[in-house]
């Protein structure tokens, strides 16, 4: 073993536990994907179950709810991606204009805290504050003459409630990324703009946004790989049969089919299709990131 390999040995030993965990929980279970092409019977096991080829996929697309579930997933995920770009950028620009460091740090801490709470905790909070009967949000709407809204039980409101609550939880974390990018913009550009008579809005449009454009493009392209991930944990804790029409997504559909209805082969087929499409989207997004933001993994 040469000197270079000997120096790198501690680094390889440090990564070994993580690699073992990934192998156990991510690679070994891949063998179970053969259930998507079987009529899986738990009593027989994978090796003895009957092979049915593409029949599970054909049946999946024949279900009346399949296209609805895929549409819900894409619709909610795309709205989350758009909100996840616009809100943090806007917040970061506003915070960047704050001159008082103590106030700026306080605001950053307040908007960052929800990121550390699980959806199990936040779901209980949201169910209470959005309750049509005693929720504080509907009480405030009643003060201005608006009838109570069942945010978590109305198909017209549920997707938007999901997006807004998700952004409330996560935008503080994303804001830090853009604040870091803003710190790299040359202050001399702003000084020159002031001399030329540019106001705050023109400085933002012609200096701030172009200065962080590589980061915006990078995060936007990388987010394309999450189009089929609408957030299982959040929706699972907030939805109900009342909003299956607008809130049921691929992950919750797989959960109900596989664990509640014991349709293991069908749920595996749905999950496999999602994984294949997600792999394609992730590959495309990394290709776009490499081309437009000069971002490469290897």
């Amino acid at each position: 073993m040469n000197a270079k390999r000997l120096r790198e040995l501690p680094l390889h030993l440090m990564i070994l536990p993580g690699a073992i965990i990934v192998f156990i929980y991510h690679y070994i279970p891949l063998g179970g994907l053969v259930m998507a092409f079987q009529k899986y019977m738990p009593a027989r096991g994978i090796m003895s179950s009957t092979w049915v080829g593409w029949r599970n996929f054909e049946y999946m697309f024949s279900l009346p709810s399949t296209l609805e579930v895929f549409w819900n997933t894409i619709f909610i995920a795309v709205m989350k991606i758009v909100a996840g770009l616009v809100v943090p950028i806007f917040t970061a620009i506003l915070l960047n204009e704050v001159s008082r460091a103590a106030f700026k740090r306080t605001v950053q801490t307040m908007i960052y805290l929800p990121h550390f709470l699980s959806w199990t905790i936040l779901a209980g909070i949201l169910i209470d504050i959005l309750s049509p009967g005693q929720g504080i949000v509907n009480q405030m709407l009643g003060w201005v003459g608006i009838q109570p809204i069942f945010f978590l039980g109305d198909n017209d409101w549920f997707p938007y409630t999901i997006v807004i609550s998700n952004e409330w939880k996560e935008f503080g974390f994303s804001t830090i990324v853009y604040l870091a990018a803003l710190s790299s913009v040359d202050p001399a550009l702003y000084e020159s703009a002031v001399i030329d008579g540019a106001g705050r809005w023109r400085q933002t449009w012609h200096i701030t946004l172009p200065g962080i454009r590589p980061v915006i493009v990078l995060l936007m392209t990388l987010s394309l790989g999450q189009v089929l991930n609408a957030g299982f944990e959040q929706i699972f804790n907030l939805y109900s049969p009342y909003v299956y029409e607008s809130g049921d997504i691929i992950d919750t559909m797989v959960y109900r089919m596989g664990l509640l209805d014991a349709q293991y082969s069908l749920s595996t087929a749905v999950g496999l299709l999602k994984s294949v499409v997600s792999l394609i989207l992730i590959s495309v997004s990394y290709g776009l990131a490499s081309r437009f933001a000069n971002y490469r993994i290897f």
Side-chain angles (χ1 to χ4, degrees):
M1 183 178 294
N2 57 39
K4 181 180 179 181
R5 290 178 180 269
L6 189 61
R7 288 196 305 270
E8 294 177 350
L9 181 60
L11 301 177
H12 290 286
L13 293 176
M14 288 174 62
I15 204 174
L16 184 60
I20 293 174
I21 292 174
V22 169
F23 179 76
I24 293 174
Y25 290 102
H26 289 80
Y27 284 91
I28 293 179
L30 289 177
L33 292 176
V34 298
M35 289 191 297
F37 306 95
Q38 295 177 328
K39 185 180 179 181
Y40 176 72
M41 302 294 292
R44 295 182 180 180
I46 292 178
M47 302 303 296
S48 301
S49 294
T50 306
W51 288 88
V52 295
W54 298 96
R55 194 176 303 169
N56 289 317
F57 294 91
E58 295 171 358
Y59 178 68
M60 173 184 65
F61 284 108
S62 69
L63 293 173
S65 61
T66 299
L67 293 180
E68 183 179 83
V69 168
F70 272 83
W71 165 250
N72 292 339
T73 304
I74 295 173
F75 181 64
I76 293 174
V78 169
M79 285 199 300
K80 284 185 175 182
I81 290 172
V82 174
L85 288 171
V86 175
V87 176
I89 292 173
F90 183 72
T91 306
I93 291 174
L94 291 180
L95 284 177
N96 193 55
E97 296 294 324
V98 176
S99 57
R100 295 189 177 184
F103 177 77
K104 185 176 181 179
R105 288 195 298 267
T106 302
V107 173
Q108 282 183 260
T109 302
M110 291 176 62
I111 64 176
Y112 187 50
L113 282 177
H115 172 76
F116 295 99
L117 299 178
S118 71
W119 274 114
T120 305
I121 297 173
L122 290 179
I125 297 173
L126 288 171
I127 290 172
D128 285 338
I129 67 176
L130 297 178
S131 169
Q134 302 297 325
I136 187 173
V137 173
N138 276 301
Q139 289 183 18
M140 294 173 64
L141 292 176
W143 296 342
V144 294
I146 300 177
Q147 294 297 319
I149 299 172
F150 197 179
F151 291 99
L152 299 177
D154 189 326
N155 282 300
D156 293 331
W157 285 96
F158 185 77
Y160 304 101
T161 304
I162 289 295
V163 174
I164 293 172
S165 60
N166 179 77
E167 198 55 35
W168 165 65
K169 180 179 185 295
E170 299 295 346
F171 86 98
F173 180 81
S174 302
T175 299
I176 293 176
V177 177
Y178 293 109
L179 282 173
L182 286 171
S183 65
S184 64
V185 179
D186 189 356
L189 296 175
Y190 294 103
E191 296 173 2
S192 300
V194 171
I195 295 173
D196 291 338
R200 286 294 186 184
W201 287 111
R202 287 193 173 274
Q203 292 177 39
T204 300
W205 184 257
H206 294 288
I207 299 176
T208 304
L209 290 177
I212 63 174
R213 183 171 56 187
V215 176
I216 296 174
V217 172
L218 174 61
L219 295 180
M220 181 176 63
T221 53
L222 293 181
S223 65
L224 293 178
Q226 304 299 317
V227 168
L228 293 185
N229 291 321
F232 169 77
E233 185 181 0
Q234 178 193 12
I235 294 179
F236 177 75
N237 283 285
L238 290 174
Y239 85 148
S240 65
Y242 296 108
V243 290
Y244 279 176
E245 181 183 336
S246 64
D248 198 18
I249 61 173
I250 296 175
D251 291 331
T252 54
M253 180 183 181
V254 170
Y255 168 80
R256 288 200 315 277
M257 285 182 173
L259 295 181
L260 300 184
D261 300 336
Q263 300 182 58
Y264 303 111
S265 295
L266 183 59
S267 62
T268 303
V270 177
L272 178 59
L273 178 63
K274 177 198 170 184
S275 298
V276 171
V277 175
S278 297
L279 176 62
I280 295 172
L281 292 174
I282 290 172
S283 301
V284 171
S285 66
Y286 276 110
L288 293 174
S290 175
R291 180 173 181 179
F292 295 106
N294 197 29
Y295 175 82
R296 294 180 177 85
I297 301 178
F298 304 109

